[in-house]
Amino acid sequence: MGSNAPRTFLAYQHDAKLHTIDTAVTAVLPFSALEESSRLLFKQGNDEDHIVITDQTIFHPQGGGQPSDVGTMSHTTTATKFTVTAVRMGQAPRDGQVLHLGRFEAAAGTDAIFKAGDSIQQAIDAEKRLLYSRLHTAGHVLGSAVRHLLENEVADFDELKASHFPDLANCEFRGLIDGKWKEPIQGKVDEFLAAKLPVQVEWWDEEDFRAQGLERLIPDREALGVPAGEKFRVVHIVGAEVYPCGGTHVETTDLCGPTKVRKISRSKGISKISYAVE
């Protein structure tokens, strides 16, 4: 497969409410046959697993600090079923393809696996998706709260990266944030949640960022694999902040649920603020 491999349409980025979708299989291969560059993305993969690639997907691949969705794929006319245990965005030569890792289940007398061209239905674990979406939006709310309070208070301040995994959720910032800021940060987070701010998905190009005075947020096209001419996906928490983001989110900030600022830790000029949703 070369660089002209068909990209997977990321349906979840356009409608995060989709919990099922009908799509077509474009490729199926044993995990052991996957190129090493992509095989290394799956620490849990083994010889009993397969990789399924589809025309479009509602499964969010792990990335941007958000865990991957899990769920099932079911053949529309046979009893063949594929349980999805992990999802990743493929590496070269599978750039732009979403790789679904899992195992097949088939009733007696039916085909054991899918074939390219088969029509299947995807179904995600909606409960986990909601948790991941709440955590992801809450992380952006926390980042926004910290920026609003400390951008001009902390030397060399900047937002760096975040993890939105259950029990490991945190946001990292450049600059040393003193523990005395924990309560003010919690107060600002609570304020943003109570305000029920809309969380809007928008599509911007470089000029849109510049028009908003947000040049600092212009993403690296090459790093993200976004071709020239395509717009970047951004998540706009109206009244708070804008983030280039490919993840899933709740529709308004209050839907994050109670969000607790747990701890502020500092090391080598970096501050990490951990949080949790209830």
Side-chain angles (χ1 to χ4, degrees), residues 6-52:
R7 298 162 63 194
T8 307
F9 178 73
L10 307 180
Y12 66 86
Q13 286 196 345
H14 299 268
D15 186 355
K17 292 182 179 180
L18 289 172
H19 293 164
T20 63
I21 195 173
D22 293 332
T23 186
V25 175
T26 59
V28 180
L29 63 158
F31 179 71
S32 59
L34 188 65
E35 299 85 355
E36 183 179 14
S37 58
S38 292
R39 195 167 63 245
L40 291 173
L41 299 172
F42 297 96
K43 294 181 180 179
Q44 68 273 55
N46 61 51
D47 290 345
E48 296 182 26
D49 294 319
H50 279 77
I51 293 290
V52 173

Side-chain angles (χ1 to χ4, degrees), residues 129-150:
R129 161 64 72 79
L130 177 58
L131 174 60
Y132 300 158
S133 298
R134 291 172 58 216
L135 280 163
H136 202 151
T137 304
H140 286 343
V141 168
L142 172 60
S144 180
V146 174
R147 178 172 288 280
H148 277 243
L149 287 170
L150 300 179

Side-chain angles (χ1 to χ4, degrees), residues 106-110:
T110 67

Side-chain angles (χ1 to χ4, degrees), residues 7-191:
R7 298 162 63 194
T8 307
F9 178 73
L10 307 180
Y12 66 86
Q13 286 196 345
H14 299 268
D15 186 355
K17 292 182 179 180
L18 289 172
H19 293 164
T20 63
I21 195 173
D22 293 332
T23 186
V25 175
T26 59
V28 180
L29 63 158
F31 179 71
S32 59
L34 188 65
E35 299 85 355
E36 183 179 14
S37 58
S38 292
R39 195 167 63 245
L40 291 173
L41 299 172
F42 297 96
K43 294 181 180 179
Q44 68 273 55
N46 61 51
D47 290 345
E48 296 182 26
D49 294 319
H50 279 77
I51 293 290
V52 173
I53 304 171
T54 52
D55 180 60
Q56 55 182 321
T57 188
I58 55 172
F59 285 83
H60 179 279
Q62 182 171 304
Q66 181 172 333
S68 77
D69 286 316
V70 296
T72 60
M73 298 185 190
S74 303
H75 198 285
T76 55
T77 58
T78 73
T80 305
K81 182 178 178 181
F82 182 73
T83 299
V84 179
T85 56
V87 188
R88 301 289 187 272
M89 186 65 74
Q91 300 295 305
R94 298 188 183 275
D95 298 313
Q97 293 193 328
V98 175
L99 311 179
H100 307 86
L101 175 80
R103 296 186 182 181
F104 282 99
E105 307 169 23
T110 67
D111 292 336
I113 66 173
F114 302 150
K115 297 182 290 294
D118 282 353
S119 295
I120 58 99
Q121 182 178 81
Q122 297 179 345
I124 61 168
D125 184 322
E127 185 175 345
K128 287 187 176 179
R129 161 64 72 79
L130 177 58
L131 174 60
Y132 300 158
S133 298
R134 291 172 58 216
L135 280 163
H136 202 151
T137 304
H140 286 343
V141 168
L142 172 60
S144 180
V146 174
R147 178 172 288 280
H148 277 243
L149 287 170
L150 300 179
E151 184 172 19
N152 298 317
E153 298 288 338
V154 173
D156 300 320
F157 176 86
D158 199 7
E159 295 179 67
L160 299 178
K161 61 182 180 178
S163 168
H164 311 296
F165 281 68
D167 303 320
L168 297 171
N170 67 82
C171 297
E172 290 190 14
F173 305 87
R174 180 180 294 116
L176 297 179
I177 299 174
D178 193 273
K180 69 181 182 181
W181 287 103
K182 181 181 176 182
E183 289 308 313
I185 292 170
Q186 181 69 68
K188 194 67 174 177
V189 167
D190 292 343
E191 177 187 327

Side-chain angles (χ1 to χ4, degrees), residues 202-219:
E202 301 173 1
W203 299 86
W204 291 13
D205 59 20
E206 286 86 349
E207 287 307 311
D208 292 318
F209 284 97
R210 294 187 183 100
Q212 299 296 325
L214 296 173
E215 292 90 345
R216 64 180 172 80
L217 295 179
I218 296 176

